[in-house]
Amino acid sequence: MISASNSLKNETLVMKFGGTSVGTAEAMHQVVSIVETEKQRWKNVVVVTSALSGVTDTLLKMASQVTTGQTTAPEESAAELARRHSEIADILIHDKAVRQIVKTEINDIISQVINLCKAIAVLGEATPRVMDTIASSGERMCVRLLAAAIQSAGIPAQAVEATRLIRTDDHYTDAHPDFAKTQQMTRAVLTPILEKGTVPVITGFIAATENGNITTLGRGGSDYSAALIGASLPADDVWIYTDVNGVMTADPRLVPDAATVPICSYREIAELAYYGAKVLHPKTIRPVIEAGIGLRVCNTFNPEHPGTRLVSELKAQDGVIKAITTIRGLQLITLEGRGMLGVPGVAARTFETVAKLGTSVPLITQASSEQSICFAVPTESTNSVITMLTSAFAREIESRDIDRVWATEEVGIVTVVGEGMRSTPGVSGRVFTALGNNKVNVIAIAQGSSEVSISLVVNAVHIQQALRVLHQLIQPAESGL
Ligand code: ASP
Ligand code: MG
């Protein structure tokens, strides 16, 4: 299982823990024991952590509430944040003096957040830069707590803020890293820490610009932080710890017999992440592929379970259909008209208009007759997209080149993912037969050119049934059941 970690060639492991893995004293205690175990197996262990579960949401809410005049709210949330961190400190940090220092540092961070909220209240608006500084506080508090908890268990550990390691541009809330600079900074800071045998406990999610302003890598970005740090060192392996046994064949809350996918290719995981499976931040993959290092998704609460190994190339026996995901809460918008055939650039103008609204389009289909374009958008965007398109194409609508722009009822996308589909004929036949036999009507279909996935649009009421039926097509041998 984890035998690879015993081989001499493996020296450096980066472990990333998500919010639920550090969300309570019990969970964080579990993290400490995982670090203890792996520290015996690896020469260098690097820990990257998210904020405690829910903390980033709370921080962002505190900042946005003050802009709407709810000025008492941040104090209440701040007290709750202080209470949660302090409770964990009481349980996991044994040395009284250290515990006091950590609590003071955490309270200072919370005070800074309150001060920023007050500034926002005065200004009446929060810039993305201020939002990032506020959002970064969750991870900054967490590393102090976790490093001290690890230290309390007898393992030398040190909290490190990734503002010293990861350099980005100033695209606040979704900053882009400068890879070369990041590599240089990460090595410079971490090498001496690792040489002493100390475990660096690093903030996920956050980084800094050249001027030292705090940025973030986007929501859920701690996975990406781990990948960037792993690629920079370079590590041998990056393990992403979550609260399920790796990548699952379907969402276990929707499909009770969902199982772990033992091996998954980078292309498959990218497709799964794109189509709604929240296993891994999609940007995580590129740095690890480029650095040629291993990636594994595993469970903090079941650490000996092998989880899912991510690999760049699959072998034939690694399975055809791997997993099924769903995205709910969408509507299909159709632009149609016989005159569209002759109008140049309709597709380009359509998506340009949608992009201006900042709406993401998870799926596009166009009939070969070119008389309609059809794409999915989140239901909350439907009205504004239709309004914008109607005005963007006012001239074509007037001249009847475009007859109408309309939206379906609520739909969902069910995506079947598996790289083996490319070399296995008849998979789509199996998919449609199964759905037809179970009276699930397919409204639209899209197959990525990579042939790693087939996406089906079905009515909202049919999503659950489609998921259940298609999940049965996964061969038990393939899913490791
Ligand atoms: N704490 C950040 C978030 O909630 C980053 C992460 O958890 O990966 O988005
Ligand atoms: Mg996450």
Side-chain angles (χ1 to χ4, degrees):
M1 244 175 270
I2 328 182
S3 56
S5 58
N6 293 325
S7 96
L8 281 174
K9 125 179 183 305
N10 289 335
E11 284 208 344
T12 307
L13 172 64
V14 173
M15 306 160 98
K16 180 261 161 178
F17 295 96
T20 50
S21 300
V22 289
T24 62
E26 224 182 343
M28 201 182 273
H29 182 252
Q30 179 69 16
V31 168
V32 172
S33 62
I34 291 172
V35 173
E36 219 172 345
T37 307
E38 296 309 333
K39 188 72 184 89
Q40 286 156 22
R41 294 174 175 165
W42 298 76
K43 181 160 167 266
N44 303 317
V45 169
V46 175
V47 170
V48 176
T49 184
S50 293
L52 316 199
S53 50
V55 166
T56 312
D57 286 335
T58 303
L59 290 164
L60 294 174
K61 210 175 68 208
M62 286 164 73
S64 64
Q65 273 170 346
V66 285
T67 60
T68 57
Q70 291 165 268
T71 35
T72 59
E75 266 88 9
E76 280 166 33
S77 305
E80 175 60 16
L81 288 179
R83 193 197 58 74
R84 260 183 91 187
H85 287 84
S86 137
E87 190 182 291
I88 299 179
D90 286 337
I91 299 172
L92 296 183
I93 307 176
H94 307 316
D95 184 299
K96 205 168 153 216
V98 174
R99 187 163 66 222
Q100 204 41 55
I101 293 171
V102 168
K103 284 191 188 183
T104 306
E105 287 182 359
I106 289 175
N107 288 335
D108 285 348
I109 294 174
I110 295 176
S111 304
Q112 287 161 18
V113 171
I114 292 283
N115 286 339
L116 289 171
C117 286
K118 286 184 183 150
I120 294 170
V122 172
L123 294 170
E125 82 173 324
T127 61
R129 177 172 155 193
V130 144
M131 289 307 266
D132 268 359
T133 303
I134 291 178
S136 73
S137 311
E139 275 71 11
R140 294 178 55 230
M141 293 189 281
C142 186
V143 285
R144 287 163 168 80
L145 200 54
L146 181 56
I150 293 172
Q151 185 93 31
S152 258
I155 304 154
Q158 180 182 332
V160 177
E161 299 204 6
T163 45
R164 299 169 60 203
L165 312 183
I166 303 176
R167 164 73 54 82
T168 65
D169 61 13
D170 60 0
H171 197 300
Y172 295 101
T173 75
D174 191 17
H176 183 73
D178 174 335
F179 296 98
K181 196 74 196 149
T182 297
Q183 177 165 60
Q184 200 186 326
M185 290 164 68
T186 299
R187 287 187 184 171
V189 174
L190 296 187
T191 309
I193 299 176
L194 292 170
E195 272 169 2
K196 281 189 294 182
T198 299
V199 175
V201 180
I202 307 167
T203 52
F205 185 47
I206 78 173
T209 63
E210 198 175 350
N211 300 333
N213 298 333
I214 298 179
T215 55
T216 64
L217 303 173
R219 292 306 306 270
S222 297
D223 298 342
Y224 189 32
S225 309
L228 290 169
I229 292 163
S232 295
L233 285 169
D236 299 284
D237 252 11
V238 174
W239 293 357
I240 306 288
Y241 278 86
T242 164
D243 52 6
V244 287
N245 292 335
V247 178
M248 304 297 284
T249 53
D251 184 338
R253 287 164 303 186
L254 304 174
V255 180
D257 55 353
T260 299
V261 178
I263 293 181
C264 196
S265 73
Y266 291 127
R267 278 183 289 266
E268 289 171 335
I269 191 86
E271 214 72 354
L272 284 169
Y274 182 77
Y275 286 107
K278 288 209 176 68
V279 267
L280 203 61
H281 191 282
K283 287 186 187 163
T284 312
I285 296 156
R286 192 178 142 203
V288 289
I289 294 189
E290 283 175 1
I293 57 187
L295 186 60
R296 175 181 168 225
V297 181
C298 45
N299 189 352
T300 298
F301 306 100
N302 189 5
E304 292 304 317
H305 189 288
T308 301
R309 242 305 144 196
L310 292 151
V311 295
S312 49
E313 295 301 330
L314 287 171
K315 301 200 181 65
Q317 71 272 21
D318 291 336
V320 179
I321 297 179
K322 284 294 181 60
I324 326 279
T325 66
T326 53
I327 307 182
R328 288 160 188 273
L330 303 171
Q331 277 173 286
L332 285 181
I333 295 190
T334 305
L335 196 74
E336 67 184 13
R338 254 166 268 196
M340 276 176 57
L341 190 62
V343 184
V346 176
R349 280 166 62 201
T350 303
F351 295 113
E352 203 177 73
T353 307
V354 179
K356 273 191 206 134
L357 286 168
T359 304
S360 68
V361 175
L363 179 139
I364 303 169
T365 62
Q366 177 170 32
S368 61
S369 68
E370 280 188 55
Q371 288 176 10
S372 69
I373 295 178
C374 176
F375 56 95
V377 296
T379 44
E380 63 272 14
S381 313
T382 304
N383 285 339
S384 45
V385 169
I386 291 185
T387 310
M388 285 285 275
L389 286 175
T390 310
S391 78
F393 288 101
R395 211 159 35 91
E396 288 79 2
I397 293 171
E398 162 104 49
S399 64
R400 304 289 312 272
D401 284 333
I402 290 174
D403 293 326
R404 60 178 186 145
V405 184
W406 60 284
T408 59
E409 305 272 276
E410 188 180 327
V411 298
I413 300 177
V414 179
T415 304
V416 177
V417 176
E419 205 170 302
M421 296 195 297
R422 193 170 22 201
S423 48
T424 314
V427 178
S428 41
R430 271 159 70 202
V431 165
F432 292 108
T433 307
L435 292 174
N437 288 345
N438 287 277
K439 309 220 167 359
V440 175
N441 183 33
V442 178
I443 304 169
I445 305 164
Q447 176 167 36
S449 59
S450 61
E451 288 184 55
V452 174
S453 70
I454 303 173
S455 290
L456 313 159
V457 178
V458 301
N459 254 320
V461 290
H462 285 147
I463 298 175
Q464 179 76 31
Q465 172 77 342
L467 186 57
R468 204 185 50 77
V469 165
L470 294 177
H471 193 258
Q472 285 167 1
L473 295 181
I474 299 177
Q475 300 295 315
E478 296 169 1
S479 69
L481 271 174

